[in-house]
């Protein structure tokens, strides 16, 4: 029995952790308890030394002194302030009016606003609750299918999981030992692509099931010109001019063939937005009438979130600020935006700070528990057990990626993304690196996969967030005065299924096309080893031979013999290809 325990300590430890968590104990305490129990058991069996736990204080101090994790409370606080600043209401109202005349226009507006909120808040709960409160009643009022409407809102809210500044990517970078800025840059293109896939699905629904996503009726379109037109041609012209300015700037500022994609997108977008904003301000002040009300409204509503995105992501991608500093600037920008909208109050600050403190404490406690668990797990060579288990899979890299993604998808039914990041990722990262997989690419891939933990039943948090704000009983609509049926939990669950499949398709696309991630990363300069030179300074005294050129005239064979015995001279001759 003793030999069995010693030989199988690692799998027993991992299995015990799963059993304890299935009993419903908090993850942080389950991790720490399993680590301490099996550590003491290993000491009793002679497998571990008593000095093992002397390393525990240092590991816990490393958690407390980790500057990268400071970004978690900053971005959480920023998202909570923005949730109550009124920005989401203005965005959904304006973009909903813009896309309203189209079939499925409200769904497109939710996806677009979800991507913008993801790039500003980085918090899934804030995005889902805001859009659920604002958009769901409007979509139900005008006849949207309840499953489709629920799925669009929940899925668009989870874009905050993968589009920077995502909290998941911060934790992922910390666990994989990589730069948060590189993780953000790698996740930018996949995040936008995923939003595009959501929009493509919405287009398909409007074609196959047009009754599920009708256009807004004429009486609901409130942004009209004095002559009754919508004003969209003026907005289209302004968009073309702005895009042309952005593209022209990109070609002028980055003439090289392989520019850094993240810097290119940030700077060119800033130029295009600046052109649109300047034109709108000039038209509004001078009353030229060149732009429609719709064009001005869309421009002025989009400026605050885009400015906040530049303040956070722009400074990170340009190398001006670290992710922690970018989070601090984002929190300051959110406070300024709430103050400008007259939404900032002591109650708002207190609620935001309380929630931020709770979430940060939750993250740190899980991380502390994970450090205690990993101390014992690594002590009994658990990492080698996992490595042998995964490197022996058939198919090499592809087989490893398939098994790992299936494992993450199944675990996400029961664990949230923080728990997956702190428990599973530290075990998978070293194996992936040994197989030659880039860890930035691997982290983004798992981040997209872990996004399903918010969406699939029965424990998807985004579904719970939407359930908390969706009407649970029949109600009378304030505008139409008609009785509107409630939204059932089953409708919310079934509405999420197509979007879970889309997220899995995105995982397959990242595996099939790695350039979706690596294309956002700065190209590393190639180093030609044939042109490397080692220069050794000549000694101050004596007539040491110069690094390049020929020996000084008049040097006799005796001096040459001395040089042969001199190590510096020998290295010099070897570099010139001379022989003794």
């Amino acid at each position: 029995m003793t030999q069995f325990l010693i030989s199988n300590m690692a799998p027993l430890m991992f299995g015990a952790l799963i059993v304890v968590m299935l009993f419903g104990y908090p993850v942080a305490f389950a991790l720490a308890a399993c680590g301490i129990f099996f550590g003491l058991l290993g000491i009793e069996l002679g497998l571990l030394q008593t000095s093992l736990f002397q390393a525990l204080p240092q590991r816990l101090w490393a958690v407390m002194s980790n500057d990268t994790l400071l970004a978690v409370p900053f971005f959480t606080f920023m998202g909570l302030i923005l949730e109550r600043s009124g920005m989401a209401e203005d965005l959904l109202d304006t973009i909903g009016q813009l896309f309203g005349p189209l079939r499925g226009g409200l769904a497109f507006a939710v996806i677009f606003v979800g991507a913008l909120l993801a790039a500003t808040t980085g918090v899934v709960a804030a995005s889902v609750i805001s859009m659920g409160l604002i958009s769901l009643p409007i979509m139900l009022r005008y006849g949207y299918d309840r499953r489709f409407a629920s799925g669009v809102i929940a899925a668009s809210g989870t874009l905050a999981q993968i589009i920077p500044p995502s909290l998941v990517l911060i934790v992922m970078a910390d666990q994989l030992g990589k730069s948060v800025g590189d993780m953000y840059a790698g996740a930018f293109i996949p995040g936008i692509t995923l939003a595009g896939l959501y929009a493509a699905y919405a287009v398909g629904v409007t074609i196959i099931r047009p009754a599920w996503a009708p256009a807004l009726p004429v009486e609901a379109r409130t942004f009209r010109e004095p002559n009754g037109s919508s004003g969209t041609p003026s907005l289209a012209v302004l968009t073309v001019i702005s895009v042309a300015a952005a593209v022209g700037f990109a070609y002028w500022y980055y003439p090289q063939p392989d520019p850094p994609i993240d810097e290119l997108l940030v700077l060119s977008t800033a130029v295009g937005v600046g052109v649109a904003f300047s034109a709108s301000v000039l038209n509004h002040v001078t009353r030229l009438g060149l732009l429609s009300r719709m064009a001005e409204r869309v421009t002025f509503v989009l400026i605050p979130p885009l400015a906040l995105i530049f303040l956070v992501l722009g400074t990170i991608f340009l190398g001006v600020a670290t992710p922690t500093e970018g989070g601090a600037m984002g929190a300051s920008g959110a406070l300024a935006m709430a103050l400008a909208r007259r939404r900032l109050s002591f109650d708002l600050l207190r609620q935001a700070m309380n929630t931020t403190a709770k979430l940060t404490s939750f993250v740190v406690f899980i991380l502390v528990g994970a450090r205690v668990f990993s101390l014992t797990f690594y002590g009994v060579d658990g990492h080698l057990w996992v490595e042998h288990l995964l490197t022996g899979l058939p198919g090499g890299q592809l087989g490893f990626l398939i098994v790992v993604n299936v494992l993450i998808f199944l675990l996400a039914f029961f664990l949230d993304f923080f728990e997956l990041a702190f428990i599973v990722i530290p075990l998978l990262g070293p194996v992936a690196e040994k197989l030659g997989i880039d860890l930035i690419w691997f982290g983004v891939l798992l981040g997209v996969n872990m996004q399903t933990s918010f969406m699939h039943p029965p424990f998807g948090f985004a579904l719970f967030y939407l359930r908390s704000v969706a009407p649970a009983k029949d109600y009378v609509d304030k505008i139409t005065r008609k009785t509107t049926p409630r939204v059932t939990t089953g409708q919310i669950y079934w509405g999420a299924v197509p979007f879970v499949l889309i997220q899995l398709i995105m995982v397959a696309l990242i595996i099939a096309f790695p350039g979706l991630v690596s294309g956002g990363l700065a190209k590393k300069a190639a180093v030609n080893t044939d042109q490397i030179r080692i220069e050794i300074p000549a000694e101050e005294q004596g007539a040491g031979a110069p690094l390049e050129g020929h020996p000084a005239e008049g040097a006799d064979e005796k001096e040459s013999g001395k040089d042969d015995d001199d190590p510096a001279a020998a290295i010099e001759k070897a570099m010139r290809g001379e022989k003794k």
Side-chain angles (χ1 to χ4, degrees):
M1 184 64 179
T2 301
Q3 188 59 39
F4 174 79
L5 291 175
I6 294 176
S7 302
N8 298 279
M9 184 69 78
L12 288 174
M13 188 175 178
F14 198 77
L17 174 64
I18 295 175
V19 171
V20 171
M21 287 194 299
L22 288 177
F23 272 109
Y25 288 99
V27 175
F29 301 122
L31 284 166
C34 286
I36 293 174
F37 174 78
F38 280 92
L40 295 175
L41 180 61
I43 293 172
E44 182 67 25
L45 296 175
L47 182 62
L48 301 173
Q49 299 294 324
T50 55
S51 59
L52 174 72
F53 288 113
Q54 293 179 3
L56 188 57
Q58 184 178 1
R59 293 175 69 86
L60 298 185
W61 175 251
V63 175
M64 304 304 174
S65 59
N66 190 343
D67 291 341
T68 303
L69 295 178
L70 278 175
V72 173
F74 285 143
F75 284 123
T76 303
F77 181 76
M78 180 182 74
L80 294 170
I81 292 295
L82 289 177
E83 178 190 356
R84 298 165 174 83
S85 68
M87 184 182 72
E89 290 90 331
D90 290 345
L91 281 171
L92 287 168
D93 184 31
T94 303
I95 305 302
Q97 290 291 323
L98 175 63
F99 291 117
L102 303 175
R103 279 190 306 188
L106 291 178
F108 299 140
V110 167
I111 295 171
F112 181 80
V113 173
L116 274 181
L117 291 178
T120 51
T121 65
V123 180
V124 174
S127 300
V128 174
I129 291 174
S130 297
M131 292 190 295
L133 286 171
I134 301 164
S135 296
L136 186 60
I138 300 175
M139 298 174 85
L140 298 180
R141 178 183 305 152
Y142 296 114
Y144 272 69
D145 181 79
R146 281 160 172 71
R147 292 168 295 179
F148 177 61
S150 301
V152 167
I153 292 174
S156 300
T158 59
L159 288 172
Q161 173 97 346
I162 191 63
I163 294 180
S166 165
L167 297 181
V168 179
L169 297 177
I170 296 173
V171 176
M172 194 80 69
D174 178 69
Q175 294 300 300
L176 293 174
K178 292 297 179 180
S179 164
V180 178
D182 287 344
M183 195 69 75
Y184 278 177
F188 191 78
I189 296 176
I192 301 302
T193 304
L194 184 59
L197 291 178
Y198 290 166
Y201 170 71
V203 171
V205 168
T206 60
I207 295 173
I208 299 173
R209 303 284 188 187
W212 283 14
L216 278 180
V218 177
E219 62 271 14
R221 304 171 195 171
T222 57
F223 290 173
R224 314 290 295 183
E225 296 299 302
N227 59 4
S229 63
S230 63
T232 51
S234 173
L235 177 61
V237 172
L238 182 62
T239 303
V240 170
I241 294 174
S242 301
V243 171
V247 172
F249 173 82
Y251 277 106
W252 170 76
Y253 196 75
Y254 292 102
Q256 65 267 31
D258 291 322
I261 300 298
D262 50 356
E263 293 184 14
L264 177 67
L265 288 174
V266 167
L267 290 179
S268 57
T269 302
V271 170
V273 171
V275 169
F277 181 68
S278 301
S280 299
V281 170
L282 182 64
N283 181 79
H284 184 75
V285 172
T286 59
R287 302 184 183 278
L288 294 176
L290 299 177
L291 296 178
S292 62
R293 290 178 55 205
M294 175 64 77
E296 284 191 5
R297 172 79 176 179
V298 170
T299 303
F300 291 144
V301 165
L302 287 180
I303 287 301
L306 291 176
L308 201 58
I309 291 171
F310 180 79
L311 185 65
V312 177
L313 297 182
T315 54
I316 294 174
F317 289 162
L318 295 176
V320 178
T322 65
T324 302
E325 294 166 346
M329 289 193 293
S332 301
L335 287 173
M337 191 178 299
L339 184 62
R341 293 172 178 268
R342 298 180 181 178
R343 297 290 186 93
L344 191 62
S345 64
F346 178 76
D347 289 337
L348 171 61
L349 281 176
R350 185 183 60 187
Q351 293 174 10
M353 289 179 180
N354 285 340
T355 307
T356 301
K358 290 178 183 177
L359 180 60
T360 306
S361 302
F362 168 73
V363 171
V364 172
F365 263 98
I366 292 181
L367 185 52
V368 167
R371 289 298 175 91
V372 177
F373 180 84
S374 64
L375 177 66
T376 304
F377 194 71
Y378 277 69
V380 298
D381 292 332
H383 59 296
L384 297 179
W385 170 68
V386 173
E387 182 178 314
H388 293 158
L389 193 66
L390 295 178
T391 53
L393 294 172
Q397 287 186 356
L398 183 59
F400 168 77
L401 291 173
I402 292 174
V403 170
V404 165
N405 279 283
V406 171
L407 175 66
I408 293 293
F409 179 75
L410 295 177
L411 289 177
F413 277 92
F414 311 103
L415 303 176
D416 70 6
F417 65 95
F418 277 131
E419 294 160 355
L420 288 171
F422 288 136
I423 299 173
V424 182
I425 301 305
L427 301 177
L428 300 179
V431 182
E433 190 171 25
K434 188 171 184 179
L435 291 174
I437 299 174
D438 181 73
L439 291 186
I440 294 294
W441 179 87
F442 186 64
V444 173
L445 174 69
L446 295 187
V448 175
N449 195 336
M450 288 162 60
Q451 194 177 13
T452 60
S453 68
F454 279 97
M455 287 293 294
H456 51 41
F459 302 119
F461 282 98
L463 308 182
F464 290 158
Y465 298 146
L466 185 59
R467 173 71 278 173
S468 67
V469 297
K473 298 180 180 179
D474 297 352
Y475 68 98
V476 177
D477 187 81
K478 296 180 180 179
I479 304 298
T480 62
R481 300 297 179 183
K482 296 180 180 179
T483 301
T484 304
R486 66 192 180 96
V487 177
T488 66
T489 303
Q491 290 170 337
I492 295 176
Y493 281 0
W494 280 111
V497 171
F499 292 94
V500 172
L501 297 178
I502 292 174
Q503 291 168 350
L504 295 179
I505 291 173
M506 189 67 219
V507 171
L509 288 177
I510 293 177
I511 295 176
F513 304 100
L516 287 172
V517 176
S518 59
L521 301 175
K523 302 295 186 298
K524 296 182 179 179
V527 178
N528 187 353
T529 56
D530 295 332
Q531 298 180 355
I532 296 178
R533 297 173 56 198
I534 302 176
E535 296 186 0
I536 301 176
E539 297 181 3
E540 295 182 0
Q541 297 179 352
L547 179 61
E548 295 189 14
H550 301 284
E553 294 183 4
D556 54 11
E557 294 181 1
K558 182 179 180 181
E559 184 69 25
S560 177
K562 291 181 179 178
D563 288 344
D564 288 341
D565 295 334
D566 183 19
I571 294 175
E572 175 189 330
K573 286 186 177 182
M575 292 176 61
R576 294 202 302 262
E578 297 180 6
K579 296 181 179 180
K580 291 185 179 181

